[in-house]
Amino acid sequence: MSKQPSLRIVLAKVGLDGHDRGVKVVARGLRDAGFHVIYPGLWQAPEAVIRTVADEDADWLGISLLSGTHMTLVPRLIEQLREAGLGHVGVLVGGIIPEADIPKLTELGVARVFGPGTPMEDIVQFLRDSGSRTHA
Amino acid sequence: MLDELFERLEKQDRLALARLLTLVAREEQLDVIRSRAGKRPEKTRVVAITGNAGVGKSTLVGKLAEYLRSQGQSVAILACDPQSPLTGGALLGDRVRMPSRPDDPGIYIRSVAAASGHQAVAEHVDVMIRVLGRYGFDVVLLETVGAGQGDTAVSELADVVVLLVQPESGDELQWEKAGLLEVADVVVVHKADLAGADRTEGQVKELLSLPGCRKIAVLRVSSTKGEGFEALWQAVLESPRHAAAADEDARELLRRAQEILAERFHRQGDRVGNVIDRWKRQELDEAQAADELLQLLAR
């Protein structure tokens, strides 16, 4: 009698980046599409994000970055996820990411980078197609 | 898989804890987890925090958790937020107002989606509490969705129910209508730094002094100023733990019996229909039909 499970996704703003309009739009859009969205707020330390992903047993981590620090913070987050035994959690990046950095990020293990103007439908479809690597 | 998860849970593995709670929320192997987790240990105190939307439940829960940590108590928070009845989606934002202490293993925060219509907390919170108790938390803070009128389920789940009200939130009649004062063990006038808190405190006290009311502590707390938490916890400790929580096992037994009954009924599908048909054709009177149905179930 188990239910149709909703994917759990943590959306995070990391470091000194106060621009949260985008992440809130995505949070709302994913919620409306049936996902369980956990949003812990602005100015999160990477360690705090990892803790949230662990305690919430998230399937996905979406990182929103508009501060240009993605090449520092994303590798650190991915490394810490692995160290915490959370290598199965899918990582998405959104925000202002220069074209040239996208291949580097995907090489690090980011599943997908969504830039400005991405239709909500694209993110929803990507998550639906990818599903959860956590729960078969 | 469950064996391994419970083994890890015994060793205080947070990832195992998190996964078990996910399984409970998804109703996977619910009955097995319920019985494997066992009874909630005596030492685990469950405190529900309820009150209308915007009254400051998340903020107070966060501050209370910090106070309890300073007293050396380990704390788990189950923060319930509503789930869309249309899509099943949920925006779980209670963490925004809660402490972020990634280096402190003594605090665990879990956001859970509560289906609409299922009272003020998520489904199977009782099982989640058992799992958290098994892990060894001293205190479980259960934050409700924002209680509406007549939301009483929390009093069956928690040892103590703390109801939050805030200044300028309606006249005396509102309190009574809400029916919530009937389930509250402690009433907190939150945002006590705002004007009018003393008047609200007076109104609540007056209402509770009416004949027939239980003795309920009323106190003021300001999360902004960090005032009143020691008194709040003292009131929680002094409040008698609900007999209802102790009766949980008995309720569980009854629930299980009902399930078995339903299963048997279901298994006898055709035969049940047969009896009903004969009753419809008046070959059986009501007493005979009921008797035959009971005999089917006894098989």
Side-chain angles (χ1 to χ4, degrees), chain B residues 269-284 289 293:
Chain B
D270 289 349
R271 295 201 186 90
V272 169
N274 180 285
V275 174
I276 292 171
D277 285 344
R278 281 158 60 214
W279 172 75
K280 277 186 188 162
R281 292 197 298 267
Q282 298 186 333
E283 292 167 24
L284 299 169
L293 285 177

Side-chain angles (χ1 to χ4, degrees), chain B residues 159-225:
Chain B
D159 292 315
V160 177
V161 178
V162 177
L163 170 69
L164 306 194
V165 297
Q166 60 182 337
E168 305 295 347
S169 54
D171 56 16
E172 290 97 321
L173 217 102
Q174 256 340 75
W175 310 119
E176 208 150 10
K177 204 170 74 183
L180 277 164
L181 288 174
E182 291 166 13
V183 297
D185 303 297
V186 177
V187 176
V188 165
V189 179
H190 198 208
K191 309 186 188 178
D193 46 298
L194 297 184
D198 46 351
R199 194 150 49 98
T200 302
E201 185 186 5
Q203 287 172 344
V204 175
K205 278 187 170 158
E206 196 180 310
L207 181 67
L208 291 176
S209 68
L210 294 175
C213 277
R214 291 173 299 135
K215 194 180 168 305
I216 297 176
V218 181
L219 40 96
R220 287 192 259 167
V221 173
S222 166
S223 288
T224 311
K225 294 189 170 175

Side-chain angles (χ1 to χ4, degrees), chain A residues 1-8 11 24 27-28 30-42 44-59 84-86 88 132 134-136, chain B residues 14-15 18-23 25-31 82-85 87-97 100-113 115 123-124 255 259:
Chain A
M1 60 176 212
S2 64
K3 294 193 243 194
Q4 181 65 32
S6 290
L7 284 179
R8 291 171 72 80
L11 292 182
K24 283 178 172 167
R28 180 63 196 271
L30 290 177
R31 179 256 181 210
D32 287 348
F35 296 91
H36 285 182
V37 180
I38 296 128
Y39 180 59
L42 287 168
Q44 299 285 308
E47 293 75 17
V49 173
I50 303 303
R51 169 57 77 86
T52 300
V53 171
D55 285 1
E56 298 284 358
D57 193 21
D59 304 289
L86 297 166
H88 56 271
S132 161
T134 312
H135 314 276
Chain B
R14 293 176 83 93
L15 296 185
R19 180 57 46 85
L20 279 166
L21 295 182
T22 303
L23 293 177
R26 294 184 173 178
E27 297 182 343
E28 286 175 29
Q29 298 182 277
L30 192 58
D31 281 334
Q83 172 174 322
S84 159
T87 63
L91 194 45
L92 308 165
D94 289 323
R95 292 187 85 101
V96 174
R97 292 179 185 78
S100 167
R101 299 257 209 110
D103 48 349
D104 180 1
I107 185 162
Y108 177 86
I109 306 174
R110 177 69 176 224
S111 316
V112 280
E123 281 180 280
H124 313 303
R255 196 191 63 84
E259 269 183 16

Side-chain angles (χ1 to χ4, degrees), chain B residues 17 28 38 43 55 74 78 80 83 97 112 115 121 124 135 143 152 160 173 179 190 202 208 217 240 250 264 284:
Chain B
L17 170 65
E28 286 175 29
K43 78 153 189 171
V55 78
S74 60
L78 287 177
C80 300
Q83 172 174 322
R97 292 179 185 78
V112 280
V121 290
H124 313 303
Y135 184 91
E143 181 194 338
T152 52
V160 177
L173 217 102
H190 198 208
L208 291 176
R264 286 195 188 171
L284 299 169

